[in-house]
Amino acid sequence: MSYVDEVIAQVVEKNPAEPEFHQAVKEVLESLRPVVEQNEELYRREAILERIVNPERQIKFRVPWVDDKGQVQVNTGYRVQFNSAIGPYKGGLRLHPSVNLGIIKFLGFEQIFKNSLTGLPIGGGKGGSDFDPKGKSDREVMAFCQSFMTELYKYIGADTDVPAGDIGTGAREIGYMFGQYKRIKGVYEGVLTGKGLSYGGSLARTEATGYGLLYFVAEMLKTNGKDLKGKTVAVSGAGNVAIYAIQKAQQLGAKPVTCSDSTGWIYDPEGIDVALLKEVKEVKRARLSEYAAARKSAEYHEKKDSNDHGVWNIKCDVALPCATQNELNLDDAKALVANGCFAVAEGANMPTTPDATEYLQKNGILFAPGKASNAGGVATSALEMSQNSERLSWTFEEVDGKLKGIMENIFHNLDDAAKRYGHEGDYVVGANIAGFEKVVNAMLAQGVC
Ligand code: NDP
C-alpha cells in the first residue's frame, strides 16, 4: 500500500462518522501523490502525513445560554487548532445547526493549505458551534456569543489563534465575541478579525472573499486567453461571499444572473440587482422570495429538496458556487458542461463534490478550488492583523490593491506548482502542492513537534 493510501485508511479508521473530513483528506492527499512519491523516505521517517492530518489540538466545550423565554439552552462549541507551522492558527467560526467535529476538522484541514497559499504567516484552524443565529433575537445572539467566548478565550490570542467569521458569524457576532474577550482578558488586542471599522476592523474585509474570488477568476481567464467581459455568471448563495462576488463580477463587466439561499433561488436574466439583494439579505435578513417580489425581471424558484441546486441548470459561461459544501454534484456538473460553461471557481469551501470536480476537469473546464480562489477573505484577515499590530488603518484602496496582488500571486503559484509536477492546468493539484510545500518545509525545520 502506498504511503498516501495508508494514511487515508488510518484517517477513516480513527475518525469514524466524519465523512466531510475524510473527503477533504482524500482530496488533498490524492493530489499530493507526485510530491509524496518523490520524498517518500523522508516523509515516512518524519511521519509528515500522519502529523499533517492530526490536529495539534481540538477543543470541544459546552455553551449554555438563556433564551428570551428564560429557558436555558445548551449548544456545543468547537475550536480545532490544526497546524501552526507557519503562523498562529487562523480560521473562521461557523454557527450553523449542521456543525459537528467532522465539519470543523474538514474546514480546519483545508485552512492549513489555504492560509499557506496566501503567502502570509498564518497557520490553520477552524471553530464554531451548532447554534443557529437564524430567528434569534439580538439579545439571544449576544447571550450565546458571550457564553461561547467565556470558554473560548482561554485558547485564543493575537499571537496564538485568531478566529474570524464564517457561515452564521458576521459583524454582529464578532462584535459580541470581541466585547466579551476584552472584558474577561482586560486586553485590547486583535484577537478576532472581521471586526467593525470603529474597533480595529479592516476596510475591504467584508468584500474580500467575493472580490478576491473574482480577481482570481480574472487572472485564471487571462492566463487561458479568456475574459470576463460580457460573460454570464451563475452564482449560488446570497451571503457574504456571494453578494460581493456578484458585485465584483458586475464591476469587471460580467452579468451574474442567479443567487440562492437555503429555501430557494433566483434567476434574474437582466442581471442581479446588488443593492436590492443587500437590502433583502444584509438589512432585512429575509428570504430571497422578497427579492423576486420587488423585481419584475426576477423568477423565484422554491427549493424542492436538499438535492435541488437549481442555479446550475441556468445557461452560463462561468459558475461560482458560493453557498456551502457539496452543493454542486455530478448532475449539476453535467448540466453546466452541456450548457457551455467554461470555468467553475469555488467561493465556498468544498462546494463541488469529488465526482463533479473530476467530471468538470475531464471536460476541459477551468476549475479553481476554493482553498485558492476563496483565500481572499483570510488574506485580508491577515492584513487586518497587520494593521492591528501596527495600530494603523489602511485605506480601502490600499487593502483592495494588496488583495488583488495576493490573489494574482496565488493563481501563479499554483499554476507553476502544477506545471512543475507535470499537471499543467490542474489547479486542484497545483493548489494542494503549493500550499503543502511551504507548511512541510516549516515542519521539517522545526523538528518533531
Ligand atoms: P453566509 O452565512 O453569509 O451565507 C451563506 C449563504 O449560502 C446564505 O445565503 C445561505 O442561505 C446560503 N446557503 C446555505 N446553505 C445553502 C444550501 N444548501 N443551498 C443554497 N444556499 C445555501 O456565509 P458566507 O457567505 O460567509 O460563506 C459561504 C461559504 O464560503 C462557506 O462555505 C464558507 O465557509 C465559505 N467562505 C467564507 C469566507 C468569508 O470570508 N465569509 C471565506 C472563505 C470561505 P440562508 O440565507 O438561507 O442561510
Side-chain angles (χ1 to χ4, degrees):
M1 211 191 235
S2 77
Y3 185 29
V4 162
D5 291 324
E6 272 173 38
V7 175
I8 291 176
Q10 275 174 27
V11 166
V12 173
E13 193 196 326
K14 288 189 180 175
N15 303 270
E18 294 180 359
E20 293 85 1
F21 180 51
H22 303 167
Q23 184 182 335
V25 169
K26 277 183 199 156
E27 186 260 311
V28 171
L29 294 197
E30 296 278 4
S31 69
L32 290 174
R33 277 184 203 280
V35 194
V36 175
E37 277 161 16
Q38 274 188 24
N39 300 282
E40 180 152 346
E41 206 186 318
L42 173 69
Y43 287 1
R44 269 188 188 272
R45 191 176 62 238
E46 296 291 333
I48 282 296
L49 295 188
E50 289 87 340
R51 280 197 270 161
I52 215 155
V53 298
N54 272 294
E56 290 175 17
R57 195 170 298 102
Q58 52 192 48
I59 301 145
K60 183 177 175 192
F61 50 96
R62 182 173 74 194
V63 190
W65 56 279
V66 182
D67 71 15
D68 284 347
K69 296 188 188 104
Q71 173 66 46
V72 175
Q73 300 286 344
V74 181
N75 288 100
T76 305
Y78 302 91
R79 186 70 184 164
V80 174
Q81 299 180 328
F82 226 114
N83 192 300
S84 62
I86 62 168
Y89 311 104
K90 180 99 200 83
L93 296 170
R94 177 172 292 191
L95 298 182
H96 193 272
S98 65
V99 164
N100 57 43
L101 186 60
I103 299 255
I104 298 298
K105 279 166 70 180
F106 121 62
L107 291 162
F109 183 69
E110 290 278 302
Q111 198 81 41
I112 305 170
F113 307 100
K114 180 190 304 196
N115 292 3
S116 167
L117 280 171
T118 65
L120 300 168
I122 38 178
K126 198 83 187 186
S129 172
D130 56 357
F131 172 77
D132 187 359
K134 255 192 226 134
K136 305 286 191 304
S137 68
D138 282 353
R139 196 210 59 80
E140 288 177 321
V141 171
M142 183 170 71
F144 167 82
C145 290
Q146 290 181 338
S147 179
F148 183 77
M149 186 51 84
T150 301
E151 186 62 28
L152 186 68
Y153 90 94
K154 298 168 191 165
Y155 312 103
I156 62 176
D159 294 317
T160 49
D161 183 354
V162 184
D166 188 68
I167 291 180
T169 308
R172 174 182 61 171
E173 290 76 16
I174 292 287
Y176 294 148
M177 290 182 196
F178 182 75
Q180 185 72 352
Y181 179 87
K182 180 168 60 73
R183 189 173 176 211
I184 300 177
K185 279 289 265 273
V187 180
Y188 203 107
E189 61 174 7
V191 65
L192 291 163
T193 57
K195 298 186 291 299
L197 290 178
S198 59
Y199 60 98
S202 173
L203 284 162
R205 174 59 188 94
T206 307
E207 295 83 354
T209 308
Y211 278 23
L213 174 66
L214 269 295
Y215 293 143
F216 185 99
V217 170
E219 196 61 18
M220 177 174 79
L221 296 194
K222 192 169 98 188
T223 306
N224 287 280
K226 297 184 186 322
D227 185 0
L228 264 172
K229 278 212 180 71
K231 301 299 184 304
T232 302
V233 180
V235 179
S236 65
N240 174 263
V241 180
I243 289 174
Y244 294 96
I246 289 170
Q247 187 171 64
K248 184 51 76 176
Q250 286 177 347
Q251 288 172 7
L252 296 178
K255 186 160 82 162
V257 292
T258 66
C259 60
S260 64
D261 66 13
S262 39
T263 52
W265 56 281
I266 293 285
Y267 174 48
D268 190 344
E270 305 257 292
I272 297 290
D273 178 338
V274 179
L276 176 60
L277 182 61
K278 283 186 179 183
E279 172 71 20
V280 172
K281 295 309 278 189
E282 290 184 342
V283 182
K284 294 189 184 158
R285 295 177 191 260
R287 312 311 319 165
L288 275 178
S289 46
E290 289 207 16
Y291 175 98
R295 188 155 158 97
K296 256 201 185 136
S297 55
E299 295 168 13
Y300 176 71
H301 300 262
E302 196 77 32
K303 193 170 172 170
K304 292 188 208 97
D305 54 50
S306 61
N307 278 324
D308 175 10
H309 311 141
V311 295
W312 310 127
N313 289 307
I314 297 295
K315 189 172 167 49
C316 67
D317 302 301
V318 175
L320 305 176
C322 297
T324 192
Q325 62 268 9
N326 294 328
E327 53 152 319
L328 196 164
N329 64 20
L330 183 59
D331 288 341
D332 303 325
K334 286 182 179 166
L336 287 170
V337 170
N339 279 329
C341 170
F342 62 77
V344 175
E346 297 183 323
N349 284 316
M350 212 169 73
T352 317
T353 59
D355 52 355
T357 304
E358 197 186 329
Y359 185 85
L360 292 169
Q361 289 187 310
K362 280 206 172 128
N363 281 277
I365 306 287
L366 299 171
F367 181 82
K371 69 171 69 66
S373 50
N374 74 27
V378 74
T380 308
S381 278
L383 300 178
E384 184 174 329
M385 289 164 72
S386 301
Q387 294 170 75
N388 292 165
S389 296
E390 55 175 31
R391 305 211 189 288
L392 289 175
S393 299
W394 304 339
T395 62
F396 186 96
E397 289 67 29
E398 215 174 337
V399 180
D400 190 37
K402 287 188 202 295
L403 169 66
K404 185 162 183 285
I406 289 169
M407 297 313 295
E408 290 169 358
N409 261 334
I410 292 177
F411 173 74
H412 289 293
N413 278 343
L414 59 88
D415 191 30
D416 290 348
K419 284 181 188 152
R420 260 192 289 126
Y421 284 90
H423 287 262
E424 183 165 356
D426 186 337
Y427 302 133
V428 175
V429 166
N432 288 332
I433 292 178
F436 177 77
E437 281 181 331
K438 185 177 168 193
V439 175
V440 167
N441 289 340
M443 286 171 71
L444 290 172
Q446 291 169 28
V448 180
C449 60

